[in-house]
Amino acid sequence: MSAATASSLSSETVAPYVRGRFGKPYLYELECESTQLLLLGSGLPEGATAATDHQTGGRGRMGRQWTAPPASSVLVSVMLHPPPERHLPELSLVAALAAAEAVEGATGLTAQIKWPNDVMLNRRKVAGILSELSDGTVVVGIGINVNQTRDELPLDTPTEAGSLRTLTGNSYDRAVLLGSLLFRLERIYDGWRHGGLDDLYGEIGARDFLRGRRITVDGAAATALQILRDGLLEVATDGGDTRAIESGEVLFER
Ligand code: BTN
């Protein structure tokens, strides 16, 4: 790995790549339990960002852990103050779209969104989103697997994990990727803030990983039809019904 790709996510390293209001202020710890905990209940303004090079208690969805070796990945949380009229579960798709675009910008490959909050590259999960609500604010946490080797990736995940490195053979500068992610998240979030998912729907729908796939939703077999304009997942159950799913664990057949 070159010096550039080994560099940290310290304030000095990332500052040249912070172009908008997301990333200000920027809280960095060489190691912490979870970047979510640095922001939850902090009262910091929208766009405040916490990043680290290693989490000792990284949080995933559904009470799972999110693990990555030191200095291998992007581990970041961003404070959001969404307007009350917006439907907060949609933020997972907002963040997933930003992460997908950042991955595409780095690799030149098309990334997909596995509803509601995973980013897929070549059928592997390369990024995950965790949104946590506290006092009307949302802390959105994004983990992107960047420079892990195959044997550094977790094995016990419901969706097989990959990193940008295992899927492209290249290593990436994590500070550049983080700057790109923050810039895209700000733009996409601002669009959602003003108009909801409507204006983003084309970009989300074009990256819909589950569309047409055989899936199970919380254990029940179905076929995924599409992500709907309101962010729900439309499925055709094996019992013959069409349903819109609001949340749940979706597994797909490989
Ligand atoms: C998932 O796919 O289960 C969501 C993973 C979210 C991981 C990120 S890493 C940065 C932030 N801090 C955490 O503890 N979790 C999120």
Side-chain angles (χ1 to χ4, degrees), residues 78-102:
V78 180
M79 175 68 93
L80 302 175
H81 296 181
E85 68 271 20
R86 289 283 162 254
H87 188 49
L88 298 185
E90 295 173 6
L91 276 173
S92 290
L93 286 170
V94 167
L97 178 58
E101 283 192 4

Side-chain angles (χ1 to χ4, degrees), residues 33-36 55 57-61 64 66 74-77 117-118 125 127-130 141-143:
E33 184 178 342
S34 160
T35 53
Q36 296 290 98
Q55 295 184 131
R59 300 177 175 192
R61 279 180 79 228
R64 295 195 190 97
W66 184 263
V74 166
L75 305 166
V76 65
S77 300
N117 68 338
D118 294 342
K125 174 172 171 172
I129 316 291
L130 175 70
I142 305 172

Side-chain angles (χ1 to χ4, degrees), residues 40-203:
L40 280 166
S42 67
L44 284 167
E46 184 157 273
T49 296
T52 189
D53 281 303
H54 188 225
Q55 295 184 131
T56 54
R59 300 177 175 192
R61 279 180 79 228
M62 312 223 167
R64 295 195 190 97
Q65 292 186 328
W66 184 263
T67 58
S72 64
S73 55
V74 166
L75 305 166
V76 65
S77 300
V78 180
M79 175 68 93
L80 302 175
H81 296 181
E85 68 271 20
R86 289 283 162 254
H87 188 49
L88 298 185
E90 295 173 6
L91 276 173
S92 290
L93 286 170
V94 167
L97 178 58
E101 283 192 4
V103 165
E104 290 174 358
T107 63
L109 302 174
T110 299
Q112 289 178 295
I113 296 169
K114 175 179 168 280
W115 183 93
N117 68 338
D118 294 342
V119 176
M120 310 289 290
L121 199 61
N122 197 15
R123 299 163 64 94
R124 307 288 193 284
K125 174 172 171 172
V126 294
I129 316 291
L130 175 70
S131 299
E132 293 185 276
L133 184 67
S134 143
D135 297 333
T137 66
V138 174
V139 175
V140 64
I142 305 172
I144 306 180
N145 296 329
V146 184
N147 292 324
Q148 290 102 317
T149 58
R150 197 174 300 276
D151 57 4
E152 289 174 334
L153 290 167
L155 290 172
D156 53 345
T157 48
T159 302
E160 195 176 341
S163 72
L164 305 197
R165 180 173 172 185
T166 61
L167 294 166
T168 68
N170 299 320
S171 296
Y172 295 87
D173 186 321
R174 292 174 303 124
V176 174
L177 183 62
L178 176 53
S180 157
L181 173 65
L182 291 172
F183 186 69
R184 292 166 198 270
L185 181 62
E186 180 177 327
R187 185 181 50 76
I188 294 168
Y189 171 77
D190 283 347
W192 174 82
R193 224 186 126 85
H194 291 114
L197 280 186
D198 259 359
D199 289 351
L200 309 175
Y201 183 73
E203 295 298 318

